[in-house]
Amino acid sequence: MLTSRLLIASLFAFAPLYAQEAPSIQVTGAVKEPLTLKAADLARLPRATVHAKNDGIDVVYEGVWLHEVLKLAGVPLGTELRGKALASYLLAEAKDGYQVVFSLPELDPVFIDNQVLLADKADGKPLFGAQGPFRLVASKEKRGARSVRMLTKIEIVKLRE
């Protein structure tokens, strides 16, 4: 009896070492509704695909249009994106500290045709390692510098009040 109690107690003591929280993306800053999104959350949203090159290799990325995620967070888009809101931008940050910026009009399909995908799959498989678990894919850009891999945070910054 004492041995089983010790075993159970030791399992609970070491549980935090073995429990890994599912990877997530934070959507913060000048948003109406801050979000923490996990792969399961993205899987429930309308899905889209884009074809892009990764190191010269054609890849089919699957995920959610970034503007759809921004809508969930209450970021002004479409007819609401006007006036001072036009001076707002999105700062995307990767796990390794890499950062890129997009102006909000660059992410709104009402303004531009270059939609950005928040991807969680490549060629039908979940992104992992140095490519994932989440990635921004700006497929129509000539350079892939703003296609952020290992994405962890999206912050909306408002320059004017």
Side-chain angles (χ1 to χ4, degrees), residues 22-27 35-38 42 69 118-119 133-135 151-154:
S24 64
I25 302 167
Q26 302 291 318
V27 182
L35 302 174
T36 299
L37 298 171
K38 297 181 175 158
L42 291 178
V69 172
L118 173 51
F134 307 107
R135 179 183 184 125
L151 182 69
T152 58
K153 184 177 179 185
I154 294 170

Side-chain angles (χ1 to χ4, degrees), residues 139-150:
S139 64
K140 292 186 179 179
E141 292 190 353
K142 291 181 181 181
R143 293 185 58 216
R146 294 197 301 173
S147 289
V148 181
R149 59 187 178 78
M150 299 187 300

Side-chain angles (χ1 to χ4, degrees), residues 58-84:
D58 288 322
V59 179
V60 177
Y61 289 100
E62 181 184 331
V64 177
W65 292 124
L66 183 56
H67 68 268
E68 294 294 340
V69 172
L70 298 178
K71 281 184 198 174
L72 288 175
V75 175
L77 296 171
T79 58
E80 294 178 18
L81 185 53
R82 62 184 184 278
K84 293 179 182 180

Side-chain angles (χ1 to χ4, degrees), residues 34 117 122 160:
L117 189 73
R160 294 183 170 177

Side-chain angles (χ1 to χ4, degrees), residues 108-143:
D108 190 337
V110 171
F111 280 83
I112 194 165
D113 286 333
N114 184 24
Q115 294 189 70
V116 176
L117 189 73
L118 173 51
D120 56 3
K121 293 184 179 183
D123 292 332
K125 298 176 186 160
L127 291 169
F128 66 94
Q131 296 300 315
F134 307 107
R135 179 183 184 125
L136 287 184
V137 181
S139 64
K140 292 186 179 179
E141 292 190 353
K142 291 181 181 181
R143 293 185 58 216

Side-chain angles (χ1 to χ4, degrees), residues 1-14:
M1 185 74 153
L2 183 59
T3 307
S4 63
R5 285 186 186 161
L6 286 173
L7 177 61
I8 291 171
S10 65
L11 287 173
F12 282 110
F14 291 107

